Amino acid sequence: MDKSSLQKAGSHFICGFEGQSLTEDLKELIRTYHIGGVILFSQNLKNEEEIKKLTRDIKNEAQNAGYDQDILIAIDQENGLVNRLESIDFYMPGAMSLGASNNENLAYEVGTITANKLKDLGINFNLAPVLDLNTNPQNPGVGTRSFSDKTDIAAKMSENFIKAHLDAGILCAAKHFPGLGNLSTDTHFDLPEVDKSYQDLESFEMIPFKNAIDKGVPVVMTAHVRFPQIDKSNLPATMSKAILKDILRDKLGFNGVIITDCLEMDAISKHYGVEEGARKSILAGANLLIVSHSKKAQIKACLLYTSPSPRDATLS
């Protein structure tokens, strides 16, 4: 693969790394593969000064490597249970607390404070909020990360959280389409299945997503969940053309960026492998693919991808 093709392939990937400063591995991913972005976890974050230096160094490295626009620096700052900024004592109410308040102004205020903190740290992409409905109390992967089990509350609160981010100039992502709130299995550890029809999802789980799309959310993240009534091949939504193209693009009219949840989660890696998960996600219509941890898996997945750049899709 020539350099141009390699960089076009790499631009579809959001990659994680080990460490709290710019590493040689990360430099290689930026210089050689022109990865689309970097995802930061708690392990990468020390104090405010070091975080700002890290994000500044990442952006400078990308600029020196010839990027024609800012590299994405992403984080899962949902607040509440999923709080990557504990090292700097940043604490905001989580989704369920906001949903319990049923106060859309509070959701906007929390979203604004969160977005402004990320901007101050040099982070430009928040992989939040969760739009999954908390319909199964035994769900190990959603719980308090959800705004509500009621569609109107989840739609209203997420809409305001998203609007706050966009008003502050921070990208955000509605997740996890088409909904994983009814699961009893955590996709980090296995591949669940939901036996629901499109009509079932349309009348319930997809309502907050449809509202977010109508209100201009720029990015939607996929769910690693099988929906056998919708996709007869029984591929998970992340890898399903029937869900990503036929439903998300064509029926719901989403024209922004489709991003996968991490392909190293067991729901994908254990059943398909990261590389095959990447290939099938690409074919299904995903624009950005997250590979959070293994450099080996990141490079192998990059080498599979030769489609047009996700930067052709609208990110704002």
Side-chain angles (χ1 to χ4, degrees), residues 125-151:
F125 187 11
N126 193 4
L127 298 170
V130 168
L131 272 62
D132 307 304
L133 297 170
N134 189 39
T135 53
N136 182 354
Q138 303 303 314
N139 190 324
V142 176
T144 60
R145 298 171 66 197
S146 169
F147 286 105
S148 180
D149 59 354
K150 296 180 174 60
T151 58

Side-chain angles (χ1 to χ4, degrees), residues 52 67 147 201 209 264 269 307:
K52 290 177 182 179
Y67 280 53
F147 286 105
L201 294 174
F209 289 98
E264 289 179 287
S269 62
S307 297

Side-chain angles (χ1 to χ4, degrees), residues 9-295:
S11 70
H12 288 266
F13 287 85
I14 305 286
C15 298
F17 68 103
E18 298 291 331
Q20 296 176 331
S21 60
L22 185 64
T23 63
E24 290 303 317
D25 283 346
L26 184 54
K27 287 179 182 178
E28 181 185 356
L29 289 171
I30 293 171
R31 291 173 184 172
T32 304
Y33 297 92
H34 273 214
I35 57 171
V38 176
I39 181 169
L40 303 178
F41 293 95
S42 299
Q43 67 185 17
N44 303 120
L45 308 175
K46 189 176 181 181
N47 56 51
E48 292 205 32
E49 182 179 348
E50 292 298 321
I51 296 169
K52 290 177 182 179
K53 183 179 186 307
L54 172 61
T55 58
R56 187 167 58 248
D57 288 347
I58 290 171
K59 291 174 183 177
N60 288 339
E61 188 68 28
Q63 187 175 28
N64 292 336
Y67 280 53
D68 56 9
Q69 58 184 278
D70 286 345
I71 188 171
L72 295 174
I73 301 180
I75 192 171
D76 293 285
Q77 187 56 36
E78 299 172 15
N79 298 320
L81 181 66
V82 180
N83 179 18
R84 306 298 191 210
L85 299 179
E86 285 186 310
S87 67
I88 62 169
D89 295 326
F90 180 82
Y91 299 99
M92 284 284 112
M96 186 167 284
S97 295
L98 294 176
S101 77
N102 198 19
N103 184 333
E104 56 192 275
N105 293 328
L106 181 60
Y108 184 87
E109 183 179 356
V110 169
T112 298
I113 294 170
T114 303
N116 285 334
K117 174 54 69 175
L118 296 181
K119 180 186 285 188
D120 181 57
L121 295 172
I123 298 166
N124 55 24
F125 187 11
N126 193 4
L127 298 170
V130 168
L131 272 62
D132 307 304
L133 297 170
N134 189 39
T135 53
N136 182 354
Q138 303 303 314
N139 190 324
V142 176
T144 60
R145 298 171 66 197
S146 169
F147 286 105
S148 180
D149 59 354
K150 296 180 174 60
T151 58
D152 58 334
I153 293 176
K156 178 173 63 176
M157 304 307 281
S158 60
E159 174 187 333
N160 282 276
F161 190 86
I162 290 167
K163 185 177 188 303
H165 278 70
L166 300 185
D167 287 349
I170 298 295
L171 283 173
C172 58
K175 62 186 186 185
H176 309 78
F177 186 82
L180 47 73
N182 196 37
L183 305 182
S184 57
T185 301
D186 190 335
T187 53
H188 288 85
F189 306 112
D190 210 343
L191 177 57
E193 184 174 291
V194 172
D195 190 24
K196 286 193 172 189
S197 66
Y198 169 72
Q199 290 74 22
D200 292 333
L201 294 174
E202 181 186 36
S203 64
F204 193 61
E205 279 89 352
M206 287 197 291
I207 288 176
F209 289 98
K210 179 66 165 68
N211 182 68
I213 290 166
D214 289 345
K215 300 297 183 180
V217 70
V219 185
V220 171
M221 180 183 283
T222 64
H224 298 332
V225 182
R226 287 171 172 157
F227 295 86
Q229 288 194 47
I230 297 174
D231 189 333
K232 301 304 180 185
S233 68
N234 213 22
L235 288 170
T238 294
M239 301 157 60
S240 169
K241 185 178 179 182
I243 292 173
L244 299 191
K245 183 183 183 301
D246 298 348
I247 295 178
L248 182 55
R249 291 291 191 205
D250 296 344
K251 291 186 177 180
L252 298 188
F254 179 62
N255 60 8
V257 169
I258 299 175
I259 187 171
T260 72
D261 208 343
C262 179
L263 297 175
E264 289 179 287
M265 293 163 63
D266 284 353
I268 302 299
S269 62
K270 187 166 75 173
H271 293 268
Y272 303 97
V274 175
E275 294 81 17
E276 182 66 3
R279 188 181 74 84
K280 281 187 160 56
S281 297
I282 292 160
L283 294 174
N287 305 112
L288 287 172
L289 315 174
I290 298 178
V291 185
S292 300
H293 303 293
S294 166
K295 181 187 174 187

